[in-house]
Amino acid sequence: MKSNRNKTAWFFLTGPLVLYLGWVIGPSLYTVYLSLTKYDGLSSPEFIGLKNFYRLFQDPVFITSLVNNIKWLLSFLVIPVVLGLVLALLLNNQIKGNKLFKAAIYSPMILSPIVIGLLWGWIYEPAGGLLNSTLSVIGLNYLTRGWLSDPEVVLYAIIAAAVWRHVGYVMILFLAGLKTIPLVVIEAARVDGASGWKKFWHIILPMLRPATVIVFVVTIIQSFRAFDMVNSMTEGGPFNSSNVLANLMYIEAFKNYRMGYGGSIAVILFLLMFAFIVFYLKQIMKNEVD
Amino acid sequence: MGELAIFSKKQIGNAILFVLLLSFVIVWLLPVGGAILTALRSMDDLIANGFWSKPEVLTFDNFRESWSTGMVGRYLFNSFIVTIPALIGTLFLSALSGFVLAHYRFKGNIFIYLTFVGGMLIPYQILMIPVFQLSNFLNIYNTYWGLVMIHMVFQMGFCTFFLRNFMRTIPVELAEAARIDGCSEFRIFWQIYLPLSKPALAAVGTLEFTWIFNDYLWALVLIRNDSLKPVTAGLASLRGQFISSWTILVAGSLLASIPTLLVFIFLQRYFIEGLTMGSGK
């Protein structure tokens, strides 16, 4: 009876598992293999060991992209997380218009990154765009520039657009975390001023730990996945100054037909995320045991 | 301190907070408000007078132009053709695997579960080349099917994770009782677990709709013909077509966002539930 039931279980799992092997597991492993080859997508892959990886670390474009990913990660760990937490704390009460404020703040999340890329592309447009127009109107003419053509600022211009999309997500996660804390505790911290800060630091923040962990994992994974906005706003330019690993991989594999080399970038990206994925899986295992 | 003092202090505090938040939200939504105003104006007017000038004329021409000449109408249609079957497919398959992983105890259960969870976190780049080749091999490259398959299968990771955790909260006794009455295993899934999981299906379905609908990367890799592109890749083509005609581009982006905006307005509760339930467990 019991073993019959197990057979049924495996029978039900067959379809989903075969598909998952075909489109997710298999491809991941195959990319690891491709990263050890020279491959143009047409002739068969030629095994070259770790050569692609040696070459990567001598490739200035790869280094720039890697550094940009790190800048992206650090900006994401600070700005959306702090802003999201502050907004969550401010909106975790019955203030007038509370629901509308929340909806407004997380509404950018439903827009596709491409739409955001286009809208912000327009904001950054040198001639007549919203940002330069605004700077001119308020007399800060000297700050106007081609935001997406200046290698000094382009990366941060794109990150700003991505932050705009991410803050709402962080806020929602913190709001969910705050719901588990009794309102009295929070109220007390807010009314008390100076000692309120201490209460926040010593009582509320530790109670928010589970939410914080999720926020960090989600934020880290999102920042390594950065692709859509970079690809659609600048394609990594000018002169790769806004390139990130995900976009570099796409360009190498699908524009330059260097699929082995592209594969090795994908593997690096995976390795960078690996520690966080394992950390997340461990958290999940812990929940299982509890 | 008297009660009155606290009350008024709180009231003043709330009033200040309200004003602060209101100003913040106005600035926050400026990109969207600015986009709407831009889409209603002419490009010449904007270039000549800047954004903060009084519009010379307000017109819907930009929307019309992007919808027909820019093919945004066609692109939106393509997005639905891809999103709906992928969504139904992934919900069905994930409900099934979620049910198995939640309900049956067998060797390998946790391993398979962790595989699904791990799979949802990997970078897409590690799948790109092989999935491109697989689609070519199966003759579904540059077809709707290529996109449907990758979305349906990749999203199983998150959906299975989500539905499995929800289904764990359904008491086993329900299934045991049904079994005594001679109910088949599939009917236990179909007539007990699936109906009871409706709230979870609504939450994860809403979330997945916007994710699949908003995908750009796979459309870029798996579709070549403009006439088959979903609206995200379509907007990138639009960008090439109307290079700096920002009024048309912005109008097109706004039109492209209507479906997810409607989802957001009407299914907001499920959307939020999906995000918090999915990551909180």
Side-chain angles (χ1 to χ4, degrees):
Chain A
M1 189 68 190
K2 177 95 191 192
S3 74
N4 255 349
R5 223 180 278 164
N6 277 355
K7 263 183 214 155
T8 321
W10 282 105
F11 174 70
F12 286 159
L13 271 179
T14 310
L17 277 184
V18 166
L19 289 169
Y20 211 64
L21 278 174
W23 265 265
V24 179
I25 311 295
S28 306
L29 299 174
Y30 189 59
T31 300
V32 174
Y33 164 70
L34 282 183
S35 75
L36 304 173
T37 67
K38 189 176 177 211
Y39 183 41
D40 60 6
L42 291 170
S43 47
S44 53
E46 176 196 334
F47 189 83
I48 54 167
L50 291 173
K51 248 188 200 153
N52 284 326
F53 294 93
Y54 286 127
R55 242 187 299 157
L56 271 182
F57 285 93
Q58 276 146 21
D59 180 349
V61 180
F62 171 78
I63 302 293
T64 311
S65 306
L66 180 62
V67 170
N68 283 348
N69 263 115
I70 293 168
K71 287 180 185 166
W72 189 301
L73 174 67
L74 293 178
S75 318
F76 248 49
L77 282 177
V78 177
I79 307 166
V81 173
V82 171
L83 196 55
L85 176 60
V86 170
L87 287 167
L89 287 168
L90 292 179
L91 285 168
N92 186 47
N93 60 26
Q94 296 308 315
I95 194 171
K96 216 171 145 192
N98 180 306
K99 277 196 180 136
L100 274 177
F101 285 146
K102 280 186 214 166
I105 289 161
Y106 57 64
S107 61
M109 223 167 54
I110 55 130
L111 299 175
S112 75
I114 301 307
V115 165
I116 294 182
L118 261 171
L119 295 186
W120 284 68
W122 159 238
I123 289 173
Y124 291 139
E125 169 71 20
L130 181 58
L131 186 52
N132 277 357
S133 291
T134 308
L135 289 171
S136 309
V137 167
I138 58 176
L140 294 172
N141 256 315
Y142 63 95
L143 284 177
T144 60
R145 66 185 75 206
W147 297 93
L148 295 181
S149 54
D150 181 342
E152 295 287 314
V153 295
V154 59
L155 179 71
Y156 295 101
I158 300 174
I159 292 177
V163 164
W164 187 60
R165 188 168 196 264
H166 192 63
V167 168
Y169 193 2
V170 174
M171 182 186 78
I172 289 175
L173 293 176
F174 275 131
L175 277 170
L178 282 170
K179 265 196 195 145
T180 61
I181 302 176
L183 206 61
V184 197
V185 178
I186 297 168
E187 282 288 310
R190 198 172 17 194
V191 176
D192 282 4
S195 70
W197 174 250
K198 263 190 204 154
K199 274 185 193 147
F200 167 74
W201 201 251
H202 294 293
I203 300 170
I204 297 179
L205 214 51
M207 286 172 103
L208 273 179
R209 210 187 103 82
T212 313
V213 168
I214 299 295
V215 164
F216 275 93
V217 171
V218 164
T219 301
I220 290 164
I221 286 179
Q222 287 286 357
S223 53
F224 282 124
R225 275 188 174 168
F227 170 81
D228 301 29
M229 285 187 196
V230 171
N231 183 275
S232 66
M233 287 170 90
T234 63
E235 286 188 82
F239 315 113
N240 290 303
S241 52
S242 65
N243 219 345
V244 290
L245 292 177
N247 186 56
L248 179 64
M249 183 276 165
Y250 172 74
I251 290 173
E252 288 293 358
F254 288 90
K255 298 278 168 187
N256 302 338
Y257 301 104
R258 296 165 72 189
M259 299 220 168
Y261 196 59
S264 67
I265 302 172
V267 169
I268 295 278
L269 204 49
F270 176 73
L271 290 176
L272 286 171
M273 288 161 76
F274 186 71
F276 303 106
I277 295 177
V278 171
F279 174 75
Y280 191 76
L281 293 181
K282 271 194 179 155
Q283 291 288 118
I284 286 185
M285 281 303 286
K286 230 166 61 187
N287 284 345
E288 287 303 309
V289 177
D290 294 348
Chain B
M1 215 185 290
E3 224 170 66
L4 191 71
I6 294 172
F7 186 66
S8 65
K9 185 179 165 191
K10 197 175 160 187
Q11 221 171 24
I12 293 165
N14 275 351
I16 294 170
L17 188 61
F18 180 81
V19 173
L20 274 177
L21 282 168
L22 187 66
S23 337
F24 178 81
V25 162
I26 289 171
V27 175
W28 193 249
L29 290 184
L30 209 55
V32 177
I36 295 171
L37 275 178
T38 300
L40 292 170
R41 296 175 70 171
S42 80
M43 200 59 212
D44 295 340
D45 175 20
L46 272 172
I47 294 289
N49 306 315
F51 178 84
W52 293 106
S53 61
K54 191 171 167 289
E56 283 170 355
V57 276
L58 291 178
T59 161
F60 282 101
D61 284 355
N62 298 314
F63 289 100
R64 218 170 291 139
E65 183 84 0
S66 65
W67 181 266
S68 50
T69 317
M71 301 213 308
V72 169
R74 170 78 204 184
Y75 295 143
L76 272 173
F77 171 78
N78 292 339
S79 285
F80 279 105
I81 293 289
V82 169
T83 306
I84 291 168
L87 181 64
I88 294 171
T90 204
L91 287 182
F92 176 77
L93 291 170
S94 313
L96 196 58
S97 48
F99 163 68
V100 171
L101 295 174
H103 187 70
Y104 300 95
R105 284 160 183 270
F106 57 96
K107 237 188 186 162
N109 183 318
I110 282 288
F111 178 75
I112 293 173
Y113 171 59
L114 289 181
T115 308
F116 278 120
V117 182
M120 82 189 195
L121 301 170
I122 59 174
Y124 302 106
Q125 272 64 26
I126 205 156
L127 306 179
M128 268 161 93
I129 302 169
V131 167
F132 165 74
Q133 290 179 322
L134 179 66
S135 307
N136 255 324
F137 177 73
L138 297 173
N139 273 323
I140 55 172
Y141 170 70
N142 200 34
T143 67
Y144 294 133
W145 276 109
L147 281 182
V148 169
M149 287 306 291
I150 182 64
H151 287 313
M152 184 177 86
V153 180
F154 185 80
Q155 297 303 338
M156 272 168 56
F158 178 73
C159 289
T160 300
F161 165 63
F162 192 100
L163 293 171
R164 180 259 189 198
N165 284 336
F166 185 86
M167 286 177 177
R168 290 264 284 193
T169 63
I170 296 173
V172 196
E173 289 75 17
L174 286 176
E176 299 295 351
R179 233 172 243 134
I180 290 166
D181 292 344
C183 196
S184 76
E185 298 297 309
F186 186 76
R187 275 185 62 198
I188 290 175
F189 164 65
W190 193 252
Q191 294 188 333
I192 298 175
Y193 273 76
L194 214 51
L196 284 174
S197 304
K198 263 187 200 151
L201 285 167
V204 80
T206 306
L207 210 53
E208 287 293 348
F209 176 86
T210 57
W211 285 349
I212 298 174
F213 200 91
N214 285 341
D215 162 72
Y216 170 67
L217 182 138
W218 290 114
L220 203 61
V221 173
L222 296 178
I223 299 286
R224 192 181 48 222
N225 284 14
D226 269 347
S227 60
L228 294 175
K229 280 180 182 167
V231 75
T232 46
L235 283 176
S237 300
L238 195 72
R239 182 87 196 263
Q241 195 181 350
F242 291 98
I243 302 158
S244 330
S245 300
W246 286 105
T247 49
I248 294 174
L249 293 174
V250 167
S253 317
L254 292 174
L255 289 174
S257 308
I258 291 175
T260 46
L261 184 70
L262 291 178
V263 165
F264 178 66
I265 293 172
F266 293 107
L267 302 173
Q268 199 189 128
R269 190 166 67 86
Y270 297 116
F271 189 83
I272 303 300
E273 268 172 22
L275 282 180
T276 47
M277 271 159 64
S279 49
K281 289 276 154 60

